[in-house]
Amino acid sequence: MFKLAGLVVPSLALLAAVRALPPVILEVISDEDNADNFNVLHHLAGDSPYFNSPGVGLTVDVPDGCSVTRATYLFRHTDIFANDFEYENQLAPFLYKLGNFTDRAAFAEGNSPLAFLANWTSPISDPENQIEEVTDSGKRDAQKLGGVIAQRHQALLANSTGEFKFWVSDADRDLDTAHAFVQGFDGKLDNATLVIVEEGEEQGANSLTPHESCPNWDTAVGTPPMKNFLQTYAPAVAARLDGLAAPNFNWTSDDVFAAQSLCGYDTVIRGTESPFCGLFTESEWLAWEYANDLMYHRSMGYGSAIAPTLGIPWLTASARLLTGQANSTSSNSSADTQSLFISFTHREEPPFIVTALGVLNETNATMPEDAINYERAWRTSFILPFLANIALERLDCNATALGANSTSTAFVRALVNAAPLPLPGCSSGPGGSCELQSFSDYIGERAKLFGDFVDVCGIANETNATSTLGIYEGDFPANGAAVETESVTINGTIDTNATNTSVDGTGAAVKLPARAAAGTILAVTLAMAFML
């Protein structure tokens, strides 16, 4: 551990608890329709606390004369301390530099906006046990959003028979998210079963983390475009910060990017808005957001030829479930026993699915690396905040919704973080929805367009190679060896005492080492529209 002039910079050997503080409520309702109200928490790309996306103006309300009769959801995990790549390559170097700066009192000279750095301490006190792990505020956020989904789909829950299942990748952050999320179903369900899917490299597409099974996909391709754009805006920001106070600190472009990244992580760890959030101007935040958009666009979005292929398996599985064509013969199939299918995964999957769906489309040509495209549709703050979710809802509608000339009564609509987004060329149904058979055809054509998962990923000779996601229908990877189940009692309580529960190889619950408490509570106030 380095401790210089009061600043703690953690080492991997440090074991410490974070000081507990009183609860603080932060509102993160989307207010993007108010151009005069800039909320930095809505411009933090993958580091944003959850908020409902603004969408294209369509309401999340179920159209008059329609009801949701089936729905599939894929959620990103909730708030974490930081991911390992960002910590090791961005945050830790900045924290180390700050910790070794011997004239920290200079930050406070002249009532500088940098004055907080004179006494600021890192919120990541124990990286070995905190990195990639869920914060206490993240657990509360997950529970709240679970309650919203349970309220929205209580009719689907009432129609379920037998054990109600949730599907989750086996990473700690996904399991912790699922454990907290299901507690939001208190009063709607008494218990649930978590189907825990291993995220190894030999599951093919039959996984909630298909990128792990695709060696031809490379997340690193997004870094050079981000770095290129960083040099177009960050040097001027570094010069501005040097001019405020403590010029001997010598801010660099990498320091600027790390400090901006700390806005999100410091906020979701402590539960109060970080002072780093107020250090930068609106234009500087929009530049940082665009740098992240470039990175995700090139690696997980339309700038990647492989990205949509990785999103297709979940879409085709969802299409089978929504159209009633899913296999229900397996004893482990849930196709006929429940109508709501909820899964938990990592940050990569929502952009893959958005790209496979064809919504929020931008090409490389419209995402230049030397200037911001302010009119772009691709904004990762709206696609993959913590708890990002992609939903597909089947709507069954009556004459009130359809009018006299319609021959179809079933439709599907896609929602990204509670914002309905029309599918290109298939949006003539109620609320911009797509007729059910046309939706199935649309997904089939997209699958043909992007190629077979096994072929594109180059895994034809791998064990368990498959292009089909079959876990909802009881077709488990590795003949079931890569799947475990856990029974969860739903009583409305969540664990915020820094103890995680996982599952051993026999399916029995086991306790993992305690983690440091996360500080204050970040309670998410969700838009009421999501509950209608």
Side-chain angles (χ1 to χ4, degrees):
M1 177 183 72
F2 300 94
K3 187 173 183 181
L4 298 173
L7 178 67
V8 175
V9 180
S11 69
L12 294 181
L14 178 64
L15 292 173
V18 180
R19 177 172 55 93
L21 297 173
V24 175
I25 304 297
L26 290 184
E27 182 176 304
V28 292
I29 297 176
S30 173
D31 58 6
E32 295 299 326
D33 57 338
N34 184 351
D36 296 326
N37 188 358
F38 182 86
N39 187 342
V40 64
L41 298 181
H42 296 175
H43 297 276
L44 298 182
D47 302 344
S48 294
Y50 182 76
F51 65 99
N52 290 341
S53 298
V56 295
L58 290 171
T59 176
V60 72
D61 297 357
V62 177
D64 290 342
C66 299
S67 60
V68 178
T69 56
R70 281 183 170 260
T72 62
Y73 280 83
L74 190 72
F75 280 86
R76 180 197 175 189
H77 59 74
T78 191
D79 315 348
I80 59 174
F81 284 84
N83 75 24
D84 52 2
F85 178 85
E86 288 175 317
Y87 182 77
E88 292 171 8
N89 294 279
Q90 298 167 9
L91 303 183
F94 175 70
L95 293 172
Y96 183 83
K97 177 180 177 178
L98 198 57
N100 281 280
F101 185 58
T102 58
D103 191 17
R104 288 180 57 236
F107 284 123
E109 293 177 357
N111 197 28
S112 165
L114 297 171
F116 73 93
L117 290 176
N119 298 297
W120 182 84
T121 58
S122 171
I124 303 172
S125 60
D126 182 9
E128 183 174 293
N129 288 310
Q130 291 173 326
I131 298 305
E132 301 276 358
E133 300 297 335
V134 168
T135 66
D136 278 1
S137 63
K139 294 176 184 179
R140 287 185 164 85
D141 293 354
Q143 183 185 29
K144 281 184 172 288
L145 189 51
V148 171
I149 300 301
Q151 177 68 23
R152 177 174 177 79
H153 294 301
Q154 54 186 322
L156 300 186
L157 295 173
N159 291 333
S160 64
T161 59
E163 60 177 349
F164 192 89
K165 298 175 185 176
F166 296 82
W167 291 260
V168 55
S169 171
D170 69 350
D172 282 355
R173 57 195 181 278
D174 298 336
L175 283 165
D176 283 354
T177 299
H179 286 141
F181 187 94
V182 300
Q183 294 305 327
F185 283 63
D186 186 32
K188 307 295 191 300
L189 294 174
D190 294 326
N191 50 66
T193 296
L194 300 186
V195 180
I196 304 168
V197 184
E198 184 180 319
E199 58 176 71
E201 298 178 358
E202 296 185 350
Q203 271 68 270
N206 200 11
S207 166
L208 292 171
T209 52
H211 64 283
E212 298 282 1
S213 302
C214 187
N216 287 344
W217 177 76
D218 181 10
T219 186
V221 299
T223 299
M226 182 269 285
K227 289 286 190 180
N228 290 340
F229 183 74
L230 181 65
Q231 295 309 314
T232 71
Y233 87 92
V237 181
R240 179 180 71 82
L241 296 177
D242 276 335
L244 293 176
N248 291 333
F249 183 71
N250 189 26
W251 287 81
T252 66
S253 295
D254 288 341
D255 294 338
V256 168
F257 194 86
Q260 290 183 287
S261 298
L262 279 167
C263 166
Y265 284 123
D266 196 22
T267 295
V268 300
I269 295 170
R270 299 188 198 274
T272 56
E273 188 166 308
S274 171
F276 283 103
C277 299
L279 187 57
F280 302 94
T281 67
E282 288 184 18
S283 62
E284 290 166 355
W285 278 118
L286 294 178
W288 184 86
E289 181 182 37
Y290 188 71
N292 280 275
D293 287 354
L294 281 171
M295 176 183 67
Y296 287 114
H297 183 266
R298 299 294 197 268
S299 62
M300 305 175 199
Y302 291 97
S304 166
I306 295 180
T309 305
L310 302 184
I312 286 294
W314 184 81
L315 289 176
T316 55
S318 294
R320 294 194 302 275
L321 293 168
L322 296 174
T323 59
Q325 297 175 355
N327 179 14
S328 60
T329 60
S330 168
S331 61
N332 292 313
S333 176
S334 298
D336 285 348
T337 60
Q338 64 191 75
S339 301
L340 177 62
F341 300 83
I342 298 175
S343 305
F344 301 91
T345 184
H346 299 332
R347 75 171 68 191
E348 289 86 356
E349 275 58 44
F352 293 154
I353 293 168
V354 163
T355 308
L357 277 173
V359 297
L360 306 176
N361 194 354
E362 294 289 351
T363 66
N364 283 345
T366 60
M367 295 285 289
E369 298 175 17
D370 58 355
I372 299 176
N373 174 7
Y374 288 101
E375 301 300 320
R376 69 195 182 279
W378 181 265
R379 294 178 183 269
T380 48
S381 300
F382 300 160
I383 298 171
L384 54 86
F386 291 119
L387 287 169
N389 55 92
I390 311 293
L392 296 172
E393 293 182 337
R394 172 172 170 164
L395 305 175
D396 283 272
C397 305
N398 60 28
T400 301
L402 302 174
N405 297 324
S406 178
T407 59
S408 301
T409 60
F411 303 84
V412 174
R413 65 172 181 171
L415 300 94
V416 176
N417 300 321
L421 296 178
L423 301 180
C426 195
S427 58
S428 60
S433 60
C434 177
E435 190 272 331
L436 181 64
Q437 184 56 51
S438 297
F439 171 79
S440 183
D441 294 342
Y442 179 86
I443 297 302
E445 289 301 316
R446 300 290 286 182
K448 293 178 183 177
L449 176 64
F450 299 122
D452 179 75
F453 183 96
V454 169
D455 293 339
V456 170
C457 293
I459 59 171
N461 296 322
E462 297 292 329
T463 304
N464 305 316
T466 179
S467 297
T468 301
L469 175 61
I471 57 176
Y472 309 111
E473 298 153 276
D475 179 14
F476 294 152
N479 295 319
V483 173
E484 298 168 351
T485 61
E486 178 189 351
S487 180
V488 178
T489 299
I490 299 175
N491 55 21
T493 62
I494 57 174
D495 172 20
T496 55
N497 294 318
T499 301
N500 181 39
T501 301
S502 187
V503 177
D504 68 13
T506 66
V510 294
K511 291 291 185 180
L512 297 182
R515 297 190 295 269
T520 60
I521 298 169
L522 171 62
V524 179
T525 304
L526 294 160
M528 290 300 294
F530 208 164
M531 301 181 67
L532 298 176

